[in-house]
Amino acid sequence: MDFGFSAEDDVFRTEVRAWLAEHAAGGLERRAWEQTLGKAGWIGLGWGEGGFGNRVATLTQQVVWAEEYARSGAPARSGHIGEKLLAPTLLAHGSEEQKARFLPPIALGEELWCQGYSEPGAGSDLAEVRTKAERASDGTYRVTGQKIWTSLAHEADWCFVLARTEPDSRRHRGLSFLLVPMDQPGRVEVRPIRQMTGTSEFNEVFFDGARAEHVVGGAGSGWQVAMSLLGFERGVSTLAQQIGFAAELARVVGAAVRSGAVEDPVVRARLVRQWAELRVMRWNALRTLGSSGDAGAPSVAKLLWGGWHQRLGELAVQVRGASASAGPREWAPGAPYELDDAQHLFLFSRADTIYGGSDQVQRTIIAERVLGLPREPKGVV
């Protein structure tokens, strides 16, 4: 696709490819990889001028970087929660002291973050926060409660936590956005959640009087800050995500050709539909790239890619027929099971329409905030 690159942009793209070719094959651990990216200035390209240690890049250059990174097969990022979610939130709502304290370590890949939003029993209703934070005599907060489905919490140094700081408040009121250090023995406990895939990217996090010194946006403004953060989940990263989707689709098509499933007209139609919908997602992402103020854009994007990826997982096993039920290696009772790429895609994508806000929640947001339909009753506020 022609983005209208200038000669300078082409130099930037060539530099990216050369740098990744030199460093991406080294098998570095996730944290060391983040620090490698940070030292070269590749974290936080879209933050603008600020002296945080990152390069400054145009929106077009950010797209080039994200897509070339995805195409290169470089290691999965563990610092994206700090870079893509917390950092833009601090730039929009944080104090100068908070920016100076937290943005440079994120840009250098030295501090990793996780997101403390979801809670047991609340489903995707983010306003049903029961985690509490009480103000201590020294002006800090003591956080008590539980968060769940916390991505990469077992690797994180910090967690941004939505907690209720006003006693007896309900729903969206009385919430604050707190920055909590994870290294607090006896006060912060992380328990990995083993999934169907056998992996444990998600965790439960228990806070028992955990100390939090920083409040972003001021006490009681947590809901506004949290909603602002959710809006940052679309944009350049969405286009990079679609590069990975395209690679997965190509593998499914290849499997369909090898198995002969492509001769089935129903399968062919589903494969073509997946390809066409992926193109629609790309054009939608480009349409909304860099825009703001569209309350429905993040929800539309989530609905599009969540359902698409789940259907791709179903196709991945369908085109292989009965062989899709057998693992890549012979299994013995009591031994851990292994999955091949298609099986992992099928099982993990079952969660795509739930995490990050379920499809039902996204449709409610579109109905209420975009279409202006009557609001869904949520109890007494």
Side-chain angles (χ1 to χ4, degrees):
M1 180 173 298
D2 181 11
F3 283 96
F5 291 125
S6 66
E8 182 178 313
D9 294 324
D10 286 334
V11 170
F12 181 87
R13 177 162 51 183
T14 301
E15 181 183 353
V16 168
R17 284 175 170 163
W19 188 86
L20 283 173
E22 178 183 353
H23 292 83
L28 300 175
E29 294 182 356
R30 292 163 67 94
R31 184 178 291 269
W33 176 247
E34 288 297 316
Q35 294 172 1
T36 299
L37 290 174
K39 289 177 182 177
W42 291 115
I43 298 176
L45 300 182
W47 297 356
E49 299 284 356
F52 303 119
N54 57 303
R55 298 179 185 231
V56 177
T58 66
L59 190 58
T60 298
Q61 289 172 330
Q62 294 172 49
V63 171
V64 170
W65 160 254
E67 292 193 332
E68 294 301 323
Y69 187 94
R71 287 193 182 99
S72 74
R77 296 287 306 281
S78 58
H80 61 283
I81 296 176
E83 178 190 8
K84 303 297 185 183
L85 299 182
L86 179 67
T89 302
L90 288 178
L91 289 168
H93 302 282
S95 66
E96 293 304 314
E97 177 188 1
Q98 290 169 345
K99 295 175 189 177
R101 164 59 185 86
F102 293 108
L103 293 179
I106 294 175
L108 291 173
E110 294 176 347
E111 290 183 348
L112 304 181
W113 286 79
C114 60
Q115 175 176 279
Y117 273 18
S118 299
E119 296 190 3
S124 293
D125 189 355
L126 186 57
E128 283 294 333
V129 172
R130 288 180 289 181
T131 295
K132 298 179 180 180
E134 296 182 357
R135 192 77 175 266
S137 58
D138 61 358
T140 62
Y141 285 87
R142 298 294 184 268
V143 183
T144 300
Q146 179 185 358
K147 298 294 182 176
I148 197 168
W149 306 118
T150 309
S151 301
L152 303 178
H154 57 293
E155 299 181 10
D157 304 295
W158 288 80
C159 182
F160 49 88
V161 177
L162 192 62
R164 197 163 295 283
T165 52
E166 295 180 12
D168 301 323
S169 61
R170 295 291 306 276
R171 302 290 302 166
H172 315 93
R173 300 176 181 175
L175 301 174
S176 296
F177 191 97
L178 306 172
L179 308 183
V180 182
M182 296 291 284
D183 186 13
Q184 299 190 56
R187 294 182 176 180
V188 179
E189 180 185 357
V190 178
R191 299 179 189 173
I193 301 173
R194 185 176 174 85
Q195 298 141 215
M196 289 191 297
T197 56
T199 56
S200 302
E201 296 92 343
F202 301 115
N203 304 268
E204 293 179 282
V205 182
F206 297 85
F207 300 100
D208 186 6
R211 185 175 185 274
E213 180 179 351
H214 299 275
V215 182
V216 179
S221 299
W223 184 255
Q224 291 77 13
V225 176
M227 292 299 98
S228 175
L229 181 143
L230 292 177
F232 295 128
E233 291 188 295
R234 76 182 193 274
V236 172
S237 60
T238 303
L239 290 165
Q241 177 192 52
Q242 291 166 14
I243 298 296
F245 285 171
E248 290 177 335
L249 176 58
R251 288 194 289 271
V252 173
V253 172
V257 171
R258 290 190 296 273
S259 68
V262 73
E263 301 301 325
D264 184 334
V266 175
V267 171
R268 281 204 308 274
R270 290 190 64 184
L271 290 170
V272 170
R273 184 184 179 107
Q274 290 292 131
W275 178 86
E277 289 177 346
L278 184 58
R279 300 300 296 175
V280 170
M281 281 194 287
R282 178 173 178 81
W283 287 112
N284 182 66
L286 290 170
R287 179 183 64 85
T288 60
L289 189 63
S291 64
S292 61
D294 186 347
S299 294
V300 169
K302 177 59 170 59
L303 283 171
L304 287 174
W305 74 254
W308 184 93
H309 201 225
Q310 194 172 89
R311 291 190 296 275
L312 183 68
E314 295 166 354
L315 258 179
V317 293
Q318 178 185 357
V319 301
R320 290 175 51 188
S323 65
S325 63
R329 292 178 179 82
E330 187 174 346
W331 178 80
Y337 62 86
E338 294 186 48
L339 303 173
D340 59 30
D341 289 344
Q343 293 165 337
H344 186 278
L345 172 61
F346 170 72
L347 291 176
F348 192 86
S349 63
R350 307 315 298 167
D352 284 340
T353 53
I354 301 174
Y355 69 75
S358 69
D359 280 10
Q360 291 87 346
V361 168
Q362 305 305 332
R363 292 189 178 100
T364 297
I365 291 173
I366 293 170
E368 295 178 354
R369 302 183 190 177
V370 179
L371 301 179
L373 297 178
R375 298 185 68 85
E376 185 178 82
K378 298 274 181 30
V380 179
V381 178

